């Protein structure tokens, strides 16, 4: 009797396993993550700039109007022919304020060149905050003050919404590199990236 019961149990297990195998769907593998192509500037994504994004597909900076200190309209096209370091910052953003002295040192180190523009753009959205931002930038010479009180520029560039964000434009006004978050912009890595951009299509000095 026990042998008969054991045989029935065994047969049931075999049949169940067969049904399970027959009804098993195909094994679906997770799709491989495909990295977006990077440009030759990817070699500068090291050390403090390890998360630097360097898209291979070059897109122009947005045709967006922001304001200078005197409330005059400014566009990125106004700086065509120069390498531009755009830094989006706000007074409510603590990392923005922390990294600003390094941006000032970066600008200071290139004051002898007229083909590099360091362009910090404040994106505070109230008149009082903008006034505080103007006072803050004034103690970080030689940085100029620019403003986007609509808080729209952080959503016009890659990495939408991240703050702070630093964007590098080449002489043709194309987005060449983007960095989201705080960094030491006076570092050797930052200088190497900027020097590489400055070397591209550099104007020939007069004979």
């Amino acid at each position: 009797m026990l042998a008969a019961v054991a045989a029935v149990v065994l047969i049931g297990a075999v049949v169940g396993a067969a049904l399970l195998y027959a009804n098993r769907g195909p094994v679906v593998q997770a799709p491989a993550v495909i990295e977006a192509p990077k440009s030759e500037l990817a070699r500068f994504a090291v050390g403090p700039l390890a998360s630097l994004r360097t898209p291979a597909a070059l897109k122009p900076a947005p045709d967006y109007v922001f304001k200078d200190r005197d409330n005059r309209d400014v566009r990125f096209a106004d700086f065509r022919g120069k390498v531009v370091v755009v830094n989006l910052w706000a007074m409510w953003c603590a990392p923005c304020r922390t990294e600003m002295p390094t941006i000032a040192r970066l600008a200071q180190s290139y004051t002898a060149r007229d083909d590099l523009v360091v362009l910090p753009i404040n994106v505070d959205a109230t008149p009082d905050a903008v006034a505080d931002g103007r006072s803050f930038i004034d103690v970080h010479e030689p940085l100029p003050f620019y403003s986007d009180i609509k808080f729209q520029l952080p959503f016009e560039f890659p990495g939408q919404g991240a703050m702070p964000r630093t964007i590098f434009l080449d002489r043709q006004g194309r987005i060449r590199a983007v960095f989201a978050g705080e960094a030491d912009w006076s570092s050797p890595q930052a200088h190497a990236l900027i020097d590489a951009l400055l070397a591209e299509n550099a104007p020939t000095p007069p004979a």
Side-chain angles (χ1 to χ4, degrees), residues 24-139:
R24 184 182 62 179
V27 176
V28 178
Q29 293 183 343
V33 176
I34 301 175
E35 263 191 57
K38 300 175 182 178
S39 77
E40 71 280 2
L41 295 180
R43 68 186 189 275
F44 299 107
V46 295
L49 301 186
S51 59
L52 186 75
R53 295 172 57 190
T54 57
L58 304 184
K59 297 181 179 180
D63 183 22
Y64 181 85
V65 176
F66 50 101
K67 301 290 186 178
D68 69 6
R69 176 181 286 271
D70 299 316
N71 206 39
R72 293 175 297 200
D73 289 353
V74 184
R75 287 180 170 85
F76 294 109
D78 297 336
F79 304 97
R80 194 68 54 82
K82 303 175 186 292
V83 172
V84 182
V85 182
V86 181
N87 179 257
L88 304 180
W89 69 282
M91 288 300 290
W92 49 261
C93 167
C96 301
R97 300 196 308 272
T98 300
E99 74 173 359
M100 195 61 71
T102 74
I103 296 172
R105 289 196 294 273
L106 175 68
Q108 182 65 46
S109 65
Y110 286 95
T111 52
R113 300 197 63 139
D114 61 2
D115 57 349
L116 177 74
V117 176
V118 179
L119 200 67
I121 304 176
N122 177 270
V123 295
D124 282 302
T126 67
D128 287 346
V130 171
D132 289 343
R134 187 180 294 110
S135 298
F136 176 79
I137 210 73
D138 285 347
V139 300

Side-chain angles (χ1 to χ4, degrees), residues 113 115 171 198-207:
R113 300 197 63 139
D115 57 349
R171 297 180 191 275
L198 286 169
E200 294 180 349
N201 304 312
T204 304

